[in-house]
């Protein structure tokens, strides 16, 4: 296996993007193998690399890891982005769980029909502004610190910034009523490793396009239509 983590996924965001974000935040270089054909996917299946017959899959430290949450937890712990004690880890898990829920509404957006996309866009913005962003706004305001947990940069901060940027792609002024989150976004975006990942030419993936959707459907044999929430 490569000394660098190696990521197996499509040439697009999906569930792998949060893994890319976390590795980049930790300053870890990684390699990627993009799945473009069904044969590539079948080869991984037949070789026993995909424990639950699904990607993302990451080769790291002599392991072939699947299950996105397990991969993220391992990376966060390995690179000291998972709090200093059990209580901080619980808070990080809780906040990451919230942003995961929000990002889940966006994950399948590219696979929707044009009509359903407009419905889902409104749904995403409504959920972000009424359920999720108010929580993080209050946390930051109440403790008055730069980061969500323990006044130290953690996985929770990385995940929240990723979620903010994803929602802003649906509504650019979505943070207009959240001054704490506006300041948070500016702070976290200026951290050198994050700043580098946000620059053109990084391994951050663009908004999914039709080519990405077509590739995923072909490789995974997705013959069904996705519906909006």
């Amino acid at each position: 296996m490569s000394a660098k983590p190696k990521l197996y996924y499509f040439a697009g965001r999906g569930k792998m993007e949060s893994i890319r974000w976390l590795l980049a935040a930790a300053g870890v270089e990684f390699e990627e193998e993009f799945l473009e054909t069904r044969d590539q996917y079948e080869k991984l299946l037949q070789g026993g690399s995909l424990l639950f017959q699904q990607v993302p899959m990451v080769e790291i430290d002599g392991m072939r890891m699947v299950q996105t949450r397990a991969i993220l937890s391992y990376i966060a712990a390995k690179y000291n982005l998972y709090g200093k004690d059990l209580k901080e880890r619980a808070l990080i898990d809780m906040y990451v769980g919230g942003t995961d829920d929000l990002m889940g509404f966006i994950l399948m957006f590219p696979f929707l029909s044009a009509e359903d996309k407009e419905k889902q866009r409104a749904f995403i913005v409504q959920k972000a502004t009424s359920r999720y962003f108010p929580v993080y706004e209050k946390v930051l305001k109440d403790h008055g610190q730069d980061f969500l947990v323990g006044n130290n940069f953690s996985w929770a901060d990385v995940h929240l910034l990723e979620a903010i940027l994803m929602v802003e792609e649906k509504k650019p002024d979505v943070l207009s009523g959240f001054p704490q989150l506006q300041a948070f976004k500016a702070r976290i975006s200026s951290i050198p490793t994050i700043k580098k990942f946000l620059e053109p030419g990084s391994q951050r993936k663009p908004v999914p396009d039709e080519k990405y959707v077509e590739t995923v459907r072909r490789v995974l044999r997705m013959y069904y239509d996705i519906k909006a929430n």
Side-chain angles (χ1 to χ4, degrees):
M1 294 185 182
S2 170
K4 296 179 182 178
K6 187 171 182 179
L7 284 49
Y8 292 79
Y9 201 68
F10 309 99
R13 289 184 183 176
K15 291 189 174 182
M16 185 64 87
E17 191 69 356
S18 291
I19 297 168
R20 298 184 185 108
W21 265 90
L22 195 56
L23 286 168
V28 178
E29 294 183 0
F30 56 89
E31 299 173 351
E32 299 189 77
E33 181 170 317
F34 298 127
L35 302 182
E36 298 176 343
T37 67
R38 179 70 185 186
D39 285 347
Q40 284 177 287
Y41 182 64
E42 292 282 0
K43 186 177 179 181
L44 290 174
L45 287 174
Q46 292 164 9
S49 295
L50 305 183
L51 190 62
F52 298 105
Q53 302 179 26
Q54 61 190 28
V55 287
M57 192 265 282
V58 175
E59 290 182 349
I60 185 170
D61 295 342
M63 299 183 290
R64 289 186 174 93
M65 294 193 70
V66 295
Q67 292 295 338
T68 308
R69 187 60 182 256
I71 297 166
L72 287 165
S73 296
Y74 182 81
I75 294 167
K78 179 178 174 68
Y79 296 106
N80 299 315
L81 295 170
Y82 212 174
K84 69 178 185 298
D85 56 33
L86 195 58
K87 286 185 177 181
E88 288 192 358
R89 182 168 294 195
L91 287 173
I92 290 168
D93 282 339
M94 189 167 62
Y95 297 149
V96 166
T99 43
D100 252 352
D101 291 346
L102 176 56
M103 288 193 285
F105 300 136
I106 304 172
L107 188 65
M108 301 310 295
F109 186 86
F111 298 88
L112 299 174
S113 67
E115 180 182 355
D116 278 348
K117 279 182 179 178
E118 289 311 305
K119 294 178 183 176
Q120 188 72 355
R121 188 188 310 275
F123 178 83
I124 290 164
V125 171
Q126 189 272 328
K127 289 296 183 183
T129 55
S130 67
R131 178 181 292 183
Y132 297 99
F133 288 172
V135 171
Y136 303 109
E137 180 79 6
K138 185 176 188 302
V139 169
L140 291 166
K141 183 177 181 180
D142 286 353
H143 67 37
Q145 298 173 338
D146 289 343
F147 306 105
L148 284 172
V149 179
N151 206 26
N152 285 302
F153 182 48
S154 76
W155 173 21
D157 302 304
V158 180
H159 218 52
L160 178 54
L161 178 62
E162 182 188 2
I164 287 171
L165 297 181
M166 289 172 73
V167 179
E168 284 186 329
E169 289 168 349
K170 303 293 177 276
K171 190 176 190 295
D173 66 347
V174 72
L175 291 186
S176 60
F178 302 96
Q180 295 292 333
L181 287 181
Q182 291 176 40
F184 172 87
K185 174 191 167 185
R187 258 192 326 272
I188 304 304
S189 297
S190 67
I191 292 171
T193 54
I194 298 290
K195 185 177 180 180
K196 182 179 179 181
F197 189 61
L198 292 173
E199 290 173 350
S202 79
Q203 287 168 289
R204 184 187 181 210
K205 300 299 180 278
V207 176
D209 58 13
E210 287 303 315
K211 181 181 178 182
Y212 167 78
V213 170
E214 179 185 333
T215 301
V216 174
R217 285 187 179 278
R218 182 177 65 252
V219 173
L220 298 183
R221 293 179 178 169
M222 290 173 59
Y223 302 126
Y224 53 89
D225 292 328
I226 305 295
K227 298 297 183 181
N229 282 282

